[in-house]
Amino acid sequence: MSEMKSNTGGNILGTEDVKKLLIKFAVPSVIAMLVGALYNIVDQIFIGQSVGMLGNAATNVAFPLVTIATALGLLFGVGGASNFNLYLGAGNRERAKKVVGNALVLLTASGLIMLVAIHMFLEPLINLFGATEAVFPLALEYISITSYGILFLIFSTGASNMIRADGSPKYSMYCLMAGAVLNIILDAVFIFGLNMGIAGAAWATVISQVVSCLIAAVYFRKMKSIKIGKQDFFLKWGIVKPILYLGASSCLNQLAMMAVQIVLNNTATFYGAESIYGSEIPLAVAGVISKVSMIFISIIIGISQGGQPIAGYNYGAKNYGRVKEVFKLVIGISLLISVISFLCFQLFPLQIIKIFGDGSDLYFEFAVRFCRIFLMMMIVVGIQPASSILFTAIGKSHKGIFLAMIRQVILLIPLLLILPIYFGIDGILYAGPISDGIAAVVAFVFVYFEMKELTRLEKEENLKREAAALS
């Protein structure tokens, strides 16, 4: 980023009150993230009510593919948006244009590659994701259809980040909201009206993703800050490399979630078979709880993404005091959301589980235990994803990547593999709070030292400006 220099250029990201800006950018971002979570939640509810527990298990098996698609969308979308804001803050509009053009090409190409890969290795993937013999046919039917929406999901996920970075958070929200609302309507029509079962939920998802993608694509014909031309779409390694660098944290966080889901599915199935619950109950419960907890995580990520363009632009413009203010606000609000989520999961676990359909007494017994124990440390979980996104926003992707990895790859996956050896199915339950607690402490330490560094940079920059004013 050697081209960068202080230059607010009158952009509201560098001048308007930070609290007002965060509300302006975070609210649409939160809604957009919730909309994304609703794609899976709504399918889960409708399938649970119509197909039953095995249907919930099938969508759980399909979830890693959605996570991979989201990871690719965030890799190029967040990477593009972060670089776009940093270059825009530094006054380098030509570089900002090429970042957007290259990111859009990467989003499209990755979607096409993933679609082909899924159809080449469909059945092995379903087995890898933890499908049992009873669940396999439903998972095969569901994924065979939803795979056709992968390209559109990747593009709309990535594009929404760049639209928000361009100063249009509401448009970004509308892209995803239109698809989610349509998904709910089509789920009801296809599943109950046309009696299409799990295939109806799949087609509803695909059609909705296409609509979101088209709305997002239209925006780039006339952006607020820049106007991209044909020459900006030619891939150049000098542009692609920083996109990959700053998008890696968000991407790896999603891939880590996928890895956790695969390990969780397989360990739940294996150790469930050795318990009184059997294989299918833990598999179905793990999917439901993971997706419900993602509602609160989505809110935290949405708030953090709302702060991303503000932090990135002001870091590029060397307005370090404003960057500190963004950090404090985002992490404080994220921790408040964490407390609310903790109370919900501890006080109302049965009511939450029943939203996703009926089941046996044994099913609800395990679901309540899983919810209360596995999510025991949700009270502090918000600091880790929030700090990871903020570090990426200011160009410190190495810290963002580490924080994205620590909870899931460094801690949770090993614990999911080791603890059940000694404690059976209960070992899976306690792996969650142990990893959440340690990750929160590490994230807090990182943020503490970053705030001290920002204070130092702020003082140095103030002295330079004072000296320049006197001369």
Side-chain angles (χ1 to χ4, degrees):
M1 303 295 175
S2 58
E3 301 98 326
M4 291 182 182
K5 60 184 179 179
S6 179
N7 181 13
T8 61
N11 193 305
I12 61 167
L13 293 172
T15 57
E16 194 170 312
D17 179 72
V18 171
K19 294 185 182 68
K20 292 180 179 178
L21 275 175
L22 186 61
I23 293 172
K24 180 178 180 179
F25 280 82
V27 170
S29 181
V30 167
I31 294 173
M33 287 300 301
L34 286 175
V35 164
L38 278 173
Y39 271 118
N40 297 296
I41 293 291
V42 170
D43 277 355
Q44 193 93 50
I45 292 172
F46 277 106
I47 291 169
Q49 294 290 344
S50 61
V51 182
M53 184 186 73
L54 292 180
N56 280 331
T59 58
N60 185 26
V61 170
F63 196 56
L65 287 175
V66 176
T67 308
I68 295 172
T70 304
L72 290 170
L74 293 177
L75 173 63
F76 305 123
V78 171
S82 298
N83 278 284
F84 175 77
N85 284 130
L86 286 168
Y87 285 123
L88 207 61
N92 194 337
R93 297 170 66 85
E94 285 302 312
R95 191 83 167 178
K97 286 167 55 181
K98 293 186 183 301
V99 165
V100 174
N102 277 229
L104 293 176
V105 172
L106 292 168
L107 287 168
T108 305
S110 62
L112 291 170
I113 292 169
M114 186 172 174
L115 173 60
V116 172
I118 290 172
H119 283 275
M120 287 178 64
F121 306 104
L122 183 55
E123 293 191 10
L125 284 171
I126 293 173
N127 286 319
L128 174 66
F129 296 158
T132 63
E133 186 177 348
V135 172
F136 187 93
L138 287 170
L140 180 64
E141 182 180 12
Y142 186 74
I143 295 173
S144 296
I145 298 169
T146 54
S147 62
Y148 291 107
I150 288 293
L151 166 62
F152 307 103
L153 173 60
I154 291 173
F155 189 92
S156 58
T157 299
S160 66
N161 282 276
M162 290 187 287
I163 292 169
R164 186 168 51 249
D166 189 45
S168 300
K170 289 184 179 179
Y171 193 99
S172 174
M173 174 187 71
Y174 295 145
C175 290
L176 300 178
M177 182 178 288
V181 172
L182 181 61
N183 187 43
I184 294 172
I185 296 170
L186 293 179
D187 266 334
V189 172
F190 290 168
I191 294 175
F192 297 115
L194 301 178
N195 200 28
M196 293 174 65
I198 199 167
W203 280 117
T205 298
V206 171
I207 294 169
S208 303
Q209 288 166 345
V210 171
V211 170
S212 289
C213 177
L214 293 175
I215 295 173
V218 168
Y219 180 86
F220 294 97
R221 295 180 62 185
K222 193 175 182 180
M223 297 179 70
K224 279 186 176 180
S225 305
I226 58 171
K227 183 178 181 180
I228 51 178
K230 293 180 181 179
Q231 69 279 3
D232 298 316
F233 292 100
F234 292 105
L235 293 179
K236 293 184 178 180
W237 178 241
I239 301 295
V240 172
K241 184 179 178 180
I243 290 175
L244 297 176
Y245 180 71
L246 293 188
S249 173
S250 296
C251 173
L252 291 174
N253 192 43
Q254 289 292 318
L255 292 178
M257 287 170 55
M258 178 203 68
V260 167
Q261 196 67 47
I262 293 172
V263 173
L264 181 58
N265 287 354
N266 283 281
T267 53
T269 300
F270 181 82
Y271 291 100
E274 297 180 351
S275 71
I276 60 172
Y277 304 111
S279 298
E280 277 76 30
I281 286 178
L283 180 63
V285 168
V288 169
I289 298 302
S290 295
K291 289 177 183 177
V292 173
S293 63
M294 274 306 298
I295 293 177
F296 292 97
I297 298 298
S298 294
I299 296 172
I300 291 168
I301 292 174
I303 292 166
S304 306
Q305 287 182 345
Q308 176 264 324
I310 310 169
Y313 183 93
N314 284 285
Y315 197 86
K318 299 183 180 180
N319 295 325
Y320 300 114
R322 290 172 67 83
V323 179
K324 283 169 56 181
E325 192 173 353
V326 174
F327 263 73
K328 290 177 183 178
L329 280 170
V330 168
I331 291 173
I333 296 170
S334 297
L335 287 174
L336 176 61
I337 300 300
S338 296
V339 172
I340 295 171
S341 68
F342 168 80
L343 293 174
C344 289
F345 290 126
Q346 296 303 314
L347 298 177
F348 311 109
L350 184 60
Q351 292 86 340
I352 291 171
I353 298 298
K354 284 189 173 182
I355 295 172
F356 295 88
D358 204 0
S360 64
D361 291 340
L362 203 59
Y363 169 76
F364 286 119
E365 175 194 318
F366 180 76
V368 169
R369 288 190 67 236
F370 192 105
C371 193
R372 283 183 170 152
I373 297 173
F374 194 80
L375 302 178
M376 190 187 302
M377 292 302 292
M378 280 292 288
I379 195 166
V380 293
V381 80
I383 189 173
Q384 180 258 336
S387 55
S388 176
I389 290 170
L390 289 173
F391 276 115
T392 299
I394 62 174
K396 298 188 177 182
S397 183
H398 58 290
K399 291 183 178 180
I401 290 171
F402 179 78
L403 289 174
M405 293 294 99
I406 186 170
R407 175 184 174 266
Q408 299 176 103
V409 174
I410 299 173
L411 294 170
L412 184 53
I413 290 178
L415 288 172
L416 285 171
L417 294 171
I418 295 169
L419 292 184
I421 296 173
Y422 302 99
F423 304 105
I425 196 78
D426 284 352
I428 296 174
L429 274 59
Y430 285 100
I434 293 172
S435 59
D436 286 343
I438 296 173
V441 171
V442 173
F444 177 81
V445 172
F446 271 53
V447 170
Y448 173 77
F449 283 106
E450 186 60 33
M451 293 297 286
K452 291 185 71 173
E453 174 66 9
L454 287 170
T455 298
R456 184 188 67 80
L457 291 171
E458 182 184 14
K459 289 178 180 178
E460 287 183 1
E461 191 62 24
N462 288 338
L463 288 172
K464 288 179 183 178
R465 289 172 181 172
E466 288 173 8
L470 290 173
S471 62

